[in-house]
Coordinates of all heavy atoms in Angstrom, one line a residue:
S1 N -110.5 64.3 75.9 CA -110.9 65.4 76.7 C -111.0 66.6 75.7 O -110.5 66.6 74.6 CB -110.0 65.7 77.8 OG -108.8 66.2 77.4
G2 N -111.5 67.7 76.2 CA -111.6 69.0 75.5 C -110.2 69.5 75.1 O -110.0 70.0 74.0
A3 N -109.3 69.3 76.0 CA -107.9 69.8 75.7 C -107.3 69.0 74.5 O -106.6 69.6 73.6 CB -107.0 69.6 76.9
D4 N -107.6 67.7 74.4 CA -107.1 66.9 73.3 C -107.7 67.3 72.0 O -107.1 67.4 71.0 CB -107.4 65.4 73.6 CG -106.6 64.9 74.7 OD1 -105.5 65.3 74.9 OD2 -107.1 64.0 75.4
F5 N -109.0 67.6 72.0 CA -109.7 68.1 70.8 C -109.1 69.5 70.3 O -108.9 69.7 69.2 CB -111.2 68.2 71.0 CG -111.9 66.9 71.1 CD1 -112.7 66.6 72.1 CD2 -111.8 66.0 70.0 CE1 -113.4 65.4 72.2 CE2 -112.4 64.8 70.1 CZ -113.3 64.5 71.1
L6 N -108.8 70.3 71.3 CA -108.2 71.6 71.0 C -106.8 71.4 70.3 O -106.5 72.1 69.3 CB -108.1 72.5 72.2 CG -107.6 73.9 72.0 CD1 -108.5 74.7 71.0 CD2 -107.5 74.7 73.3
K7 N -106.1 70.5 70.9 CA -104.7 70.3 70.3 C -104.9 69.8 68.9 O -104.1 70.2 68.0 CB -104.0 69.2 71.1 CG -103.5 69.8 72.5 CD -102.9 68.7 73.3 CE -102.7 69.1 74.7 NZ -102.2 68.0 75.5
E8 N -105.8 68.9 68.6 CA -106.0 68.3 67.3 C -106.4 69.5 66.3 O -106.0 69.5 65.2 CB -107.1 67.3 67.3 CG -106.7 66.0 67.9 CD -107.8 64.9 67.9 OE1 -108.6 64.9 66.9 OE2 -107.8 64.1 68.8
A9 N -107.3 70.3 66.8 CA -107.8 71.5 66.0 C -106.6 72.4 65.6 O -106.5 72.9 64.5 CB -108.9 72.2 66.7
I10 N -105.7 72.7 66.6 CA -104.6 73.5 66.4 C -103.7 72.9 65.3 O -103.2 73.7 64.4 CB -103.8 73.8 67.7 CG1 -104.6 74.7 68.6 CG2 -102.4 74.3 67.4 CD1 -104.1 74.8 70.0
I11 N -103.5 71.7 65.4 CA -102.6 71.0 64.3 C -103.3 71.1 63.0 O -102.6 71.4 62.0 CB -102.4 69.5 64.7 CG1 -101.5 69.5 66.0 CG2 -101.7 68.8 63.6 CD1 -101.4 68.1 66.6
K12 N -104.6 70.8 62.9 CA -105.3 70.9 61.6 C -105.3 72.3 61.0 O -105.1 72.5 59.8 CB -106.7 70.4 61.7 CG -106.7 68.9 61.9 CD -108.2 68.4 62.1 CE -108.2 66.9 62.3 NZ -109.6 66.4 62.5
L13 N -105.5 73.3 61.9 CA -105.5 74.7 61.5 C -104.1 75.1 60.9 O -104.0 75.7 59.8 CB -105.9 75.6 62.6 CG -107.3 75.5 63.1 CD1 -107.5 76.2 64.5 CD2 -108.2 76.2 62.1
D14 N -103.1 74.7 61.6 CA -101.7 75.1 61.2 C -101.4 74.4 59.8 O -100.9 75.0 58.9 CB -100.7 74.7 62.2 CG -99.3 75.1 61.8 OD1 -99.1 76.3 61.7 OD2 -98.4 74.2 61.6
E15 N -101.8 73.1 59.7 CA -101.5 72.4 58.5 C -102.3 73.0 57.3 O -101.7 73.2 56.2 CB -102.0 70.9 58.6 CG -101.0 70.1 59.4 CD -101.6 68.7 59.7 OE1 -102.7 68.4 59.4 OE2 -100.8 67.9 60.3
F16 N -103.5 73.5 57.5 CA -104.3 74.1 56.5 C -103.7 75.4 56.1 O -103.5 75.7 54.9 CB -105.8 74.4 57.0 CG -106.6 75.2 56.1 CD1 -107.1 74.7 54.9 CD2 -106.8 76.5 56.4 CE1 -107.8 75.6 54.0 CE2 -107.6 77.4 55.6 CZ -108.0 76.9 54.4
L17 N -103.3 76.2 57.0 CA -102.7 77.6 56.7 C -101.4 77.5 56.0 O -101.1 78.2 55.1 CB -102.6 78.4 58.0 CG -103.9 78.8 58.6 CD1 -103.7 79.4 60.0 CD2 -104.7 79.8 57.7
T18 N -100.5 76.6 56.5 CA -99.2 76.5 55.9 C -99.2 75.8 54.6 O -98.5 76.2 53.7 CB -98.2 75.8 56.9 OG1 -98.7 74.5 57.3 CG2 -97.9 76.7 58.1
S19 N -100.0 74.7 54.5 CA -100.0 74.0 53.2 C -100.6 74.8 52.0 O -100.3 74.5 50.9 CB -100.7 72.6 53.3 OG -102.1 72.9 53.6
N20 N -101.4 75.8 52.4 CA -102.0 76.6 51.4 C -101.3 78.0 51.3 O -101.8 78.9 50.6 CB -103.5 76.9 51.7 CG -104.3 75.6 51.4 OD1 -104.4 75.1 50.3 ND2 -104.8 75.0 52.5
N21 N -100.2 78.1 51.9 CA -99.3 79.3 51.9 C -100.1 80.6 52.3 O -99.8 81.7 51.7 CB -98.7 79.5 50.5 CG -97.8 78.4 50.2 OD1 -97.0 78.0 51.1 ND2 -97.8 77.8 49.0
Y22 N -101.0 80.5 53.2 CA -101.7 81.7 53.7 C -100.8 82.5 54.7 O -99.9 81.8 55.4 CB -103.0 81.3 54.4 CG -104.0 80.9 53.5 CD1 -104.6 79.6 53.6 CD2 -104.5 81.7 52.5 CE1 -105.6 79.2 52.7 CE2 -105.5 81.3 51.6 CZ -106.0 80.0 51.7 OH -107.0 79.6 50.9
K23 N -100.9 83.8 54.8 CA -100.1 84.6 55.7 C -100.8 84.6 57.1 O -100.1 84.8 58.1 CB -100.0 86.0 55.2 CG -99.3 86.2 53.9 CD -99.3 87.6 53.4 CE -100.7 87.9 52.9 NZ -100.8 89.3 52.3
T24 N -102.1 84.4 57.1 CA -102.8 84.4 58.4 C -102.2 83.3 59.3 O -102.0 82.2 58.8 CB -104.3 84.1 58.1 OG1 -104.9 85.2 57.4 CG2 -105.1 83.9 59.4
R25 N -102.1 83.6 60.5 CA -101.5 82.6 61.5 C -102.1 82.6 62.8 O -102.7 83.6 63.2 CB -100.0 82.9 61.7 CG -99.1 82.6 60.5 CD -98.9 81.1 60.3 NE -98.1 80.8 59.2 CZ -98.5 80.5 58.0 NH1 -99.8 80.4 57.7 NH2 -97.7 80.2 57.0
M26 N -102.0 81.5 63.5 CA -102.5 81.5 64.9 C -101.4 82.2 65.7 O -100.2 82.1 65.5 CB -102.6 80.0 65.4 CG -103.7 79.3 64.8 SD -103.7 77.6 65.4 CE -102.4 76.9 64.5
Q27 N -101.9 83.1 66.6 CA -101.0 83.9 67.4 C -100.7 83.1 68.7 O -99.6 83.0 69.1 CB -101.7 85.2 67.7 CG -100.8 86.1 68.6 CD -101.5 87.4 68.9 OE1 -102.7 87.5 68.9 NE2 -100.7 88.5 69.0
M28 N -101.8 82.6 69.4 CA -101.6 81.9 70.6 C -103.0 81.2 71.0 O -104.0 81.6 70.4 CB -101.2 82.8 71.8 CG -102.3 83.8 72.2 SD -101.8 84.9 73.5 CE -101.5 86.4 72.5
N29 N -102.9 80.3 71.9 CA -104.2 79.8 72.4 C -104.2 80.1 73.9 O -103.2 80.0 74.6 CB -104.4 78.3 72.1 CG -103.6 77.4 73.0 OD1 -102.4 77.4 72.8 ND2 -104.2 76.6 73.8
I30 N -105.4 80.4 74.4 CA -105.6 80.7 75.8 C -106.8 79.9 76.3 O -107.9 80.2 75.8 CB -105.8 82.2 76.1 CG1 -104.6 83.0 75.5 CG2 -106.0 82.5 77.5 CD1 -104.8 84.5 75.3
H31 N -106.5 79.0 77.1 CA -107.6 78.1 77.6 C -108.3 77.4 76.4 O -107.7 76.6 75.8 CB -108.6 78.8 78.5 CG -107.9 79.5 79.7 ND1 -107.3 78.8 80.7 CD2 -107.7 80.8 80.0 CE1 -106.8 79.6 81.6 NE2 -107.0 80.8 81.2
D32 N -109.5 77.8 76.1 CA -110.2 77.2 75.0 C -110.4 78.1 73.8 O -111.3 77.9 73.0 CB -111.6 76.7 75.5 CG -112.5 77.8 76.0 OD1 -112.0 78.9 76.2 OD2 -113.7 77.6 76.1
E33 N -109.5 79.1 73.7 CA -109.6 80.1 72.7 C -108.3 80.1 71.8 O -107.3 79.9 72.4 CB -109.8 81.5 73.2 CG -111.1 81.7 73.9 CD -111.4 83.1 74.4 OE1 -110.7 84.0 73.9 OE2 -112.2 83.3 75.3
I34 N -108.5 80.4 70.5 CA -107.3 80.5 69.7 C -107.3 81.9 69.1 O -108.3 82.3 68.5 CB -107.3 79.4 68.5 CG1 -107.4 78.0 69.1 CG2 -106.1 79.6 67.6 CD1 -107.6 77.0 68.1
S35 N -106.2 82.6 69.2 CA -106.1 83.9 68.7 C -105.4 83.9 67.4 O -104.4 83.2 67.2 CB -105.3 84.8 69.7 OG -105.0 86.1 69.2
F36 N -105.9 84.6 66.4 CA -105.4 84.6 65.0 C -104.9 86.0 64.7 O -105.5 87.0 65.1 CB -106.4 84.2 64.0 CG -106.7 82.7 64.0 CD1 -107.7 82.3 64.8 CD2 -106.0 81.8 63.2 CE1 -108.1 80.9 64.8 CE2 -106.3 80.5 63.3 CZ -107.4 80.0 64.1
I37 N -103.9 86.1 63.8 CA -103.5 87.4 63.2 C -104.0 87.2 61.7 O -103.5 86.3 61.0 CB -102.0 87.6 63.2 CG1 -101.5 87.7 64.6 CG2 -101.7 88.8 62.3 CD1 -102.0 88.9 65.3
F38 N -105.1 88.0 61.3 CA -105.6 87.9 60.0 C -105.1 89.0 59.1 O -104.8 90.1 59.6 CB -107.1 88.1 60.0 CG -107.9 86.8 60.1 CD1 -108.3 86.3 61.4 CD2 -108.3 86.1 59.0 CE1 -109.0 85.1 61.5 CE2 -109.0 84.9 59.1 CZ -109.4 84.4 60.3
Y39 N -104.9 88.7 57.8 CA -104.5 89.7 56.8 C -105.8 90.1 56.1 O -106.7 89.2 55.9 CB -103.5 89.1 55.9 CG -102.1 89.1 56.6 CD1 -101.8 88.0 57.4 CD2 -101.2 90.1 56.4 CE1 -100.6 88.0 58.1 CE2 -100.0 90.1 57.0 CZ -99.7 89.0 57.9 OH -98.4 89.0 58.5
L40 N -105.9 91.3 55.7 CA -107.2 91.8 55.1 C -107.6 91.0 53.9 O -108.7 90.8 53.6 CB -107.0 93.3 54.8 CG -106.9 94.2 56.0 CD1 -106.7 95.7 55.5 CD2 -108.2 94.1 56.9
D41 N -106.6 90.6 53.1 CA -106.9 89.9 51.9 C -107.2 88.4 52.1 O -107.5 87.6 51.2 CB -105.8 90.0 50.8 CG -104.5 89.5 51.3 OD1 -104.2 89.4 52.5 OD2 -103.6 89.1 50.4
E42 N -107.2 88.0 53.4 CA -107.5 86.6 53.7 C -108.7 86.5 54.7 O -108.8 85.4 55.3 CB -106.2 85.9 54.3 CG -105.1 85.8 53.3 CD -103.9 85.1 53.9 OE1 -103.8 84.8 55.1 OE2 -103.0 84.8 53.0
L43 N -109.5 87.5 54.8 CA -110.6 87.4 55.7 C -111.6 86.3 55.3 O -112.4 85.8 56.1 CB -111.3 88.8 55.8 CG -110.5 89.9 56.4 CD1 -111.3 91.2 56.3 CD2 -110.1 89.6 57.8
H44 N -111.6 86.0 54.0 CA -112.5 84.9 53.5 C -112.2 83.5 54.2 O -113.0 82.6 54.1 CB -112.3 84.7 52.0 CG -111.0 84.3 51.6 ND1 -109.9 85.2 51.5 CD2 -110.5 83.1 51.3 CE1 -108.8 84.5 51.1 NE2 -109.2 83.2 51.0
L45 N -111.1 83.4 54.9 CA -110.7 82.2 55.6 C -111.5 81.9 56.9 O -111.6 80.8 57.4 CB -109.2 82.2 56.0 CG -108.2 82.2 54.9 CD1 -106.8 82.3 55.4 CD2 -108.4 80.9 54.0
L46 N -112.1 83.0 57.4 CA -112.9 82.8 58.7 C -113.8 81.6 58.7 O -113.8 80.8 59.6 CB -113.6 84.1 59.0 CG -114.4 84.1 60.3 CD1 -113.5 83.9 61.5 CD2 -115.2 85.4 60.5
P47 N -114.7 81.5 57.7 CA -115.6 80.3 57.7 C -114.9 79.0 57.7 O -115.3 78.0 58.3 CB -116.5 80.5 56.5 CG -116.4 82.0 56.2 CD -115.1 82.4 56.6
K48 N -113.8 78.9 56.9 CA -113.1 77.6 56.8 C -112.4 77.3 58.1 O -112.4 76.1 58.5 CB -112.1 77.7 55.6 CG -111.3 76.5 55.4 CD -112.1 75.3 55.1 CE -111.2 74.0 54.9 NZ -112.0 72.8 54.9
L49 N -111.8 78.3 58.7 CA -111.1 78.0 60.0 C -112.2 77.6 61.1 O -111.9 76.7 61.9 CB -110.4 79.3 60.5 CG -109.2 79.7 59.5 CD1 -108.6 81.0 60.1 CD2 -108.2 78.6 59.3
K50 N -113.3 78.3 61.0 CA -114.4 77.9 62.0 C -114.8 76.5 61.7 O -115.0 75.7 62.7 CB -115.6 78.9 61.8 CG -116.7 78.7 62.8 CD -117.7 79.8 62.5 CE -118.9 79.8 63.4 NZ -119.6 78.6 63.6
A51 N -115.0 76.1 60.5 CA -115.4 74.7 60.1 C -114.3 73.7 60.6 O -114.7 72.6 61.1 CB -115.6 74.6 58.6
I52 N -113.1 74.0 60.4 CA -112.0 73.1 60.9 C -112.1 72.9 62.4 O -112.0 71.8 62.9 CB -110.6 73.6 60.5 CG1 -110.4 73.5 59.0 CG2 -109.5 72.9 61.2 CD1 -109.2 74.2 58.5
M53 N -112.4 73.9 63.1 CA -112.5 73.8 64.6 C -113.7 73.1 65.0 O -113.7 72.5 66.1 CB -112.5 75.2 65.2 CG -111.1 75.9 65.1 SD -111.0 77.4 66.0 CE -111.7 78.6 64.8
E54 N -114.7 73.0 64.2 CA -116.0 72.3 64.6 C -116.0 70.9 64.1 O -116.9 70.1 64.6 CB -117.2 73.1 64.0 CG -117.4 74.4 64.6 CD -118.5 75.3 64.0 OE1 -118.9 75.0 62.9 OE2 -119.0 76.2 64.7
E55 N -115.1 70.5 63.2 CA -115.1 69.1 62.7 C -114.0 68.3 63.3 O -112.9 68.2 62.8 CB -114.9 69.2 61.2 CG -116.0 69.9 60.4 CD -115.6 70.1 58.9 OE1 -114.6 69.7 58.5 OE2 -116.4 70.8 58.3
L56 N -114.3 67.7 64.4 CA -113.4 66.9 65.2 C -113.8 65.4 65.2 O -114.9 65.1 65.7 CB -113.2 67.4 66.6 CG -112.7 68.9 66.7 CD1 -112.7 69.4 68.1 CD2 -111.2 68.9 66.1
E57 N -112.9 64.6 64.7 CA -113.3 63.1 64.7 C -113.3 62.6 66.1 O -112.6 63.0 67.0 CB -112.2 62.4 63.9 CG -112.2 62.6 62.5 CD -111.1 61.8 61.7 OE1 -110.8 60.7 62.2 OE2 -110.6 62.3 60.7
G58 N -114.3 61.7 66.4 CA -114.4 61.1 67.7 C -115.2 61.9 68.7 O -115.4 61.5 69.8
C59 N -115.7 63.1 68.3 CA -116.4 63.9 69.2 C -117.9 63.7 68.9 O -118.3 64.0 67.8 CB -116.0 65.4 69.1 SG -116.9 66.4 70.2
Y60 N -118.7 63.2 69.8 CA -120.1 63.0 69.6 C -121.0 64.1 70.0 O -122.2 64.1 69.8 CB -120.5 61.7 70.3 CG -119.7 60.5 69.8 CD1 -118.7 59.9 70.6 CD2 -119.9 60.0 68.5 CE1 -117.9 58.9 70.1 CE2 -119.1 58.9 68.0 CZ -118.1 58.4 68.8 OH -117.4 57.3 68.3
V61 N -120.4 65.1 70.6 CA -121.1 66.3 71.1 C -120.8 67.4 70.1 O -119.6 67.6 69.8 CB -120.7 66.7 72.5 CG1 -121.4 68.0 72.9 CG2 -121.0 65.6 73.5
P62 N -121.8 68.1 69.5 CA -121.5 69.2 68.6 C -120.6 70.2 69.2 O -120.8 70.7 70.3 CB -122.8 69.7 68.2 CG -123.8 68.7 68.6 CD -123.2 67.9 69.8
I63 N -119.5 70.6 68.5 CA -118.6 71.7 68.9 C -119.0 72.9 68.1 O -119.2 72.9 66.9 CB -117.2 71.3 68.6 CG1 -116.7 70.1 69.3 CG2 -116.2 72.5 68.9 CD1 -116.7 70.1 70.8
V64 N -119.2 74.0 68.8 CA -119.5 75.3 68.2 C -118.4 76.3 68.4 O -118.0 76.6 69.5 CB -120.8 75.9 68.7 CG1 -121.1 77.3 68.1 CG2 -122.0 74.9 68.5
A65 N -117.8 76.7 67.3 CA -116.7 77.7 67.4 C -117.3 79.1 67.1 O -118.0 79.3 66.1 CB -115.6 77.3 66.3
E66 N -117.0 80.0 68.0 CA -117.5 81.3 67.8 C -116.3 82.2 67.5 O -115.2 82.0 67.9 CB -118.2 81.8 69.1 CG -119.4 81.0 69.4 CD -120.0 81.4 70.7 OE1 -119.3 82.0 71.6 OE2 -121.2 81.1 71.0
A67 N -116.5 83.3 66.7 CA -115.5 84.2 66.4 C -115.7 85.6 67.0 O -116.9 86.1 67.1 CB -115.4 84.4 64.8
E68 N -114.7 86.2 67.5 CA -114.7 87.5 68.1 C -113.6 88.3 67.6 O -112.6 87.8 67.1 CB -114.6 87.4 69.6 CG -115.8 86.7 70.3 CD -115.6 86.4 71.7 OE1 -114.5 86.1 72.2 OE2 -116.6 86.6 72.5
F69 N -113.7 89.6 67.6 CA -112.7 90.5 67.0 C -112.3 91.6 68.1 O -113.1 92.1 68.8 CB -113.3 91.2 65.8 CG -112.4 92.3 65.3 CD1 -111.3 92.1 64.5 CD2 -112.7 93.7 65.6 CE1 -110.5 93.1 64.0 CE2 -111.9 94.7 65.1 CZ -110.8 94.4 64.3
T70 N -111.0 91.9 68.1 CA -110.5 93.0 68.9 C -109.2 93.5 68.3 O -108.5 92.7 67.6 CB -110.3 92.6 70.4 OG1 -109.9 93.8 71.1 CG2 -109.2 91.5 70.6
T71 N -108.9 94.7 68.5 CA -107.6 95.3 68.0 C -106.7 95.6 69.2 O -105.5 95.9 69.0 CB -107.8 96.6 67.2 OG1 -108.5 97.5 68.1 CG2 -108.5 96.3 66.0
D72 N -107.2 95.4 70.4 CA -106.4 95.8 71.6 C -106.5 94.8 72.7 O -105.6 93.9 72.9 CB -106.7 97.2 72.1 CG -108.1 97.5 72.2 OD1 -108.9 96.6 72.4 OD2 -108.5 98.7 72.1
T73 N -107.6 94.8 73.5 CA -107.6 93.9 74.7 C -108.8 92.9 74.6 O -109.8 93.1 73.9 CB -107.9 94.8 76.0 OG1 -109.2 95.4 75.9 CG2 -106.8 95.9 76.1
W74 N -108.7 91.9 75.4 CA -109.7 90.9 75.5 C -111.0 91.5 75.9 O -112.1 91.0 75.6 CB -109.3 89.7 76.4 CG -108.2 88.9 75.8 CD1 -106.9 89.0 76.1 CD2 -108.4 87.8 74.9 NE1 -106.2 88.1 75.4 CE2 -107.1 87.3 74.7 CE3 -109.4 87.2 74.3 CZ2 -106.8 86.2 73.8 CZ3 -109.2 86.1 73.5 CH2 -107.9 85.7 73.2
A75 N -111.0 92.5 76.8 CA -112.2 93.1 77.3 C -113.0 93.8 76.2 O -114.2 94.0 76.4 CB -111.8 94.1 78.4
N76 N -112.3 94.2 75.1 CA -113.0 94.9 74.1 C -113.4 94.0 72.9 O -113.7 94.5 71.8 CB -112.1 96.0 73.5 CG -111.8 97.1 74.6 OD1 -112.7 97.3 75.4 ND2 -110.7 97.7 74.6
K77 N -113.5 92.7 73.1 CA -113.9 91.8 72.0 C -115.3 92.0 71.7 O -116.2 92.3 72.5 CB -113.7 90.4 72.4 CG -112.3 89.9 72.6 CD -112.1 88.5 72.9 CE -112.8 88.0 74.1 NZ -112.6 86.6 74.5
S78 N -115.6 91.8 70.4 CA -117.0 91.8 69.9 C -117.3 90.6 69.0 O -116.4 90.2 68.3 CB -117.4 93.1 69.2 OG -116.5 93.3 68.1
E79 N -118.4 90.0 69.1 CA -118.7 88.8 68.4 C -118.8 89.1 66.9 O -119.4 90.1 66.5 CB -120.0 88.2 68.9 CG -120.2 86.8 68.5 CD -121.3 86.1 69.3 OE1 -121.7 86.6 70.3 OE2 -121.7 85.0 68.8
V80 N -118.4 88.1 66.1 CA -118.4 88.2 64.7 C -119.1 87.0 64.1 O -118.8 85.9 64.5 CB -116.9 88.2 64.1 CG1 -117.0 88.2 62.6 CG2 -116.2 89.4 64.6
H81 N -120.1 87.2 63.3 CA -120.9 86.1 62.7 C -120.6 85.8 61.3 O -120.7 84.6 60.9 CB -122.4 86.4 62.9 CG -122.8 86.6 64.3 ND1 -123.0 85.6 65.2 CD2 -123.1 87.7 65.0 CE1 -123.4 86.0 66.4 NE2 -123.4 87.3 66.3
T82 N -120.2 86.8 60.5 CA -119.9 86.6 59.1 C -118.6 87.4 58.7 O -118.1 88.2 59.5 CB -121.1 87.1 58.2 OG1 -121.1 88.5 58.4 CG2 -122.4 86.5 58.6
V83 N -118.1 87.1 57.5 CA -117.0 87.8 57.0 C -117.3 89.3 56.9 O -116.5 90.2 57.2 CB -116.5 87.3 55.7 CG1 -115.4 88.1 55.1 CG2 -116.0 85.8 55.8
E84 N -118.5 89.6 56.5 CA -119.0 91.0 56.3 C -119.0 91.7 57.7 O -118.6 92.8 57.8 CB -120.4 91.1 55.7 CG -120.4 90.6 54.3 CD -120.4 89.1 54.1 OE1 -120.7 88.4 55.0 OE2 -120.1 88.7 53.0
D85 N -119.4 91.0 58.7 CA -119.4 91.5 60.1 C -117.9 91.8 60.5 O -117.7 92.8 61.1 CB -120.0 90.4 61.0 CG -120.6 90.9 62.3 OD1 -120.8 92.1 62.3 OD2 -120.9 90.1 63.2
L86 N -117.0 90.9 60.2 CA -115.6 91.1 60.5 C -115.1 92.4 59.8 O -114.4 93.2 60.4 CB -114.8 89.9 60.1 CG -113.3 89.9 60.4 CD1 -113.0 90.2 61.9 CD2 -112.6 88.6 60.0
V87 N -115.4 92.5 58.5 CA -115.0 93.7 57.7 C -115.5 95.0 58.3 O -114.8 96.0 58.5 CB -115.4 93.6 56.2 CG1 -115.2 94.9 55.5 CG2 -114.7 92.4 55.5
E88 N -116.8 94.9 58.8 CA -117.4 96.1 59.4 C -116.6 96.4 60.7 O -116.3 97.6 61.0 CB -118.8 95.8 59.7 CG -119.6 97.0 60.4 CD -121.0 96.6 60.7 OE1 -121.7 96.0 59.8 OE2 -121.4 96.9 61.8
R89 N -116.2 95.4 61.5 CA -115.5 95.7 62.8 C -114.2 96.3 62.5 O -113.7 97.2 63.2 CB -115.3 94.4 63.6 CG -116.6 93.7 64.0 CD -117.3 94.5 65.1 NE -118.3 93.7 65.7 CZ -119.5 93.3 65.2 NH1 -119.7 93.6 64.0 NH2 -120.4 92.7 65.9
I90 N -113.5 95.8 61.4 CA -112.2 96.4 61.0 C -112.3 97.8 60.6 O -111.5 98.7 61.0 CB -111.5 95.5 59.9 CG1 -111.2 94.1 60.5 CG2 -110.3 96.1 59.4 CD1 -110.8 93.1 59.5
Q91 N -113.3 98.1 59.8 CA -113.5 99.5 59.3 C -113.8 100.4 60.5 O -113.3 101.5 60.5 CB -114.6 99.5 58.2 CG -114.2 98.9 57.0 CD -115.3 98.7 56.0 OE1 -116.5 98.8 56.4 NE2 -115.0 98.5 54.7
Y92 N -114.6 100.0 61.4 CA -114.9 100.8 62.6 C -113.6 101.0 63.4 O -113.4 102.1 63.9 CB -116.0 100.1 63.4 CG -116.4 100.8 64.6 CD1 -117.2 102.0 64.6 CD2 -115.9 100.4 65.9 CE1 -117.5 102.7 65.7 CE2 -116.2 101.1 67.0 CZ -117.0 102.2 66.9 OH -117.4 102.9 68.1
A93 N -112.8 100.0 63.5 CA -111.6 100.1 64.3 C -110.6 101.1 63.7 O -109.9 101.8 64.4 CB -110.9 98.7 64.5
K94 N -110.6 101.2 62.4 CA -109.7 102.1 61.7 C -110.1 103.5 61.8 O -109.3 104.4 61.7 CB -109.6 101.7 60.2 CG -108.8 100.5 59.9 CD -108.7 100.3 58.4 CE -107.9 99.1 58.1 NZ -107.8 98.9 56.6
A95 N -111.4 103.7 62.0 CA -112.0 105.1 62.1 C -111.6 105.8 63.3 O -111.1 105.4 64.3 CB -113.5 105.1 62.0

């Protein structure tokens, strides 16, 4: 089921982050979403984490992971397509 695929993705994400000694961590998962705490020097991880979430063995239907950014509430999320897009959202949030 979808919940099983999400659990597998969470395990793979955690293994990737911890085995490579990254500071970025998963904060929580809510339904079918995973919330991350990113560090500015690790924003380059976004495409890799997205790829891990989309590569699930035994799934014959393509999985598409989308990225969104917020600094406060879920209602204020905005979609992120690239690392550059994420950097722009962070700079805007700091202003």
Side-chain angles (χ1 to χ4, degrees):
S1 74
D4 293 326
F5 287 127
L6 182 62
K7 289 176 193 174
E8 287 179 35
I10 288 171
I11 291 167
K12 288 179 183 179
L13 290 164
D14 184 62
E15 288 172 352
F16 170 75
L17 292 170
T18 56
S19 68
N20 291 294
N21 296 317
Y22 289 119
K23 297 177 287 184
T24 295
R25 290 287 180 259
M26 288 179 285
Q27 181 181 30
M28 69 182 103
N29 76 293
I30 301 162
H31 305 292
D32 63 344
E33 296 184 18
I34 303 172
S35 174
F36 289 89
I37 299 292
F38 268 94
Y39 286 80
L40 293 177
D41 61 334
E42 295 182 351
L43 296 178
H44 65 279
L45 294 175
L46 180 63
K48 179 61 180 169
L49 298 178
K50 187 176 181 308
I52 291 171
M53 289 186 276
E54 293 177 341
E55 296 169 5
L56 298 172
E57 290 181 33
C59 184
Y60 301 107
V61 176
I63 301 293
V64 177
E66 297 174 343
E68 296 173 319
F69 171 80
T70 187
T71 58
D72 48 25
T73 68
W74 290 94
N76 293 331
K77 292 187 297 185
S78 60
E79 196 166 345
V80 174
H81 298 285
T82 64
V83 173
E84 293 79 18
D85 206 14
L86 181 57
V87 170
E88 182 180 314
R89 298 289 192 291
I90 291 168
Q91 290 171 344
Y92 179 76
K94 285 183 176 182

